Amino acid sequence: MGDNGDDKYYYNNYNYNKSHNQLDSHVNMATVALVTGLIAIPLCFVMNIGIVLGGVAVVLGILSKGLEKKLLPQAKRGIIYGTIGIVLGYIVFVSSMHTILTDPTYRQQLNQMSEQMNGQSFDDLLKELGLSDL
């Protein structure tokens, strides 16, 4: 490469890419937050996985900001979807527990499973704890 300005072009191009590569980690983290938040919504119906993934999405979305002034659009969406996953996950969990504790057929199944695992029914365990009102 000679003195015809090609060196300056490549040098400037390298610096341009280098300065933009510093944002790549923020963009990657925001994108992972978005994808994790999207996955959290349907998985909130499976063993509370949505609650965990939603929390991860929110944390990654917030951390992707770094020292920048604004959140990236992917990070904002990731935080929103993650929050939806957390809220839906808790709604599903509470409604499932309510159904198990109030429906007689599910309560009977719970007692049978508890007897198999612990040697005494769930109702007996609650009486020992003084929570027989449930």
Side-chain angles (χ1 to χ4, degrees), residues 30-42:
T31 304
V32 170
L34 173 63
V35 171
T36 308
L38 283 172
I39 293 172
I41 293 173

Side-chain angles (χ1 to χ4, degrees), residues 1 5-19:
M1 307 227 184
D6 286 340
D7 291 335
K8 186 175 181 183
Y9 171 76
Y10 289 114
Y11 179 75
N12 286 338
N13 193 21
Y14 172 75
N15 283 340
Y16 175 79
N17 288 333
K18 184 178 176 185
S19 67

Side-chain angles (χ1 to χ4, degrees), residues 14-133:
Y14 172 75
N15 283 340
Y16 175 79
N17 288 333
K18 184 178 176 185
S19 67
H20 281 67
N21 285 337
Q22 292 173 357
L23 294 177
D24 284 347
S25 63
H26 298 292
V27 173
N28 288 340
M29 197 178 300
T31 304
V32 170
L34 173 63
V35 171
T36 308
L38 283 172
I39 293 172
I41 293 173
L43 289 182
C44 68
F45 299 103
V46 181
M47 295 176 37
N48 301 326
I49 295 173
I51 296 171
V52 174
L53 288 178
V56 169
V58 170
V59 169
L60 286 177
I62 292 170
L63 289 177
S64 70
K65 182 180 178 214
L67 298 175
E68 300 296 319
K69 293 180 182 178
K70 294 183 179 180
L71 283 172
L72 293 168
Q74 300 97 313
K76 289 178 185 177
R77 288 187 210 115
I79 292 170
I80 291 169
Y81 295 147
T83 304
I84 291 170
I86 292 170
V87 170
L88 280 177
Y90 277 116
I91 289 171
V92 168
F93 177 74
V94 169
S95 66
S96 298
M97 291 305 297
H98 179 265
T99 301
I100 288 172
L101 294 175
T102 58
D103 191 356
T105 57
Y106 289 120
R107 186 66 172 250
Q108 182 182 6
Q109 289 177 356
L110 179 63
N111 283 328
Q112 289 174 350
M113 287 174 32
S114 178
E115 283 180 14
Q116 290 174 354
M117 292 189 307
N118 304 322
Q120 52 182 204
S121 70
F122 182 72
D123 290 333
D124 292 340
L125 291 171
L126 286 178
K127 286 178 187 173
E128 284 182 20
L129 294 173
L131 300 171
S132 58
D133 299 343

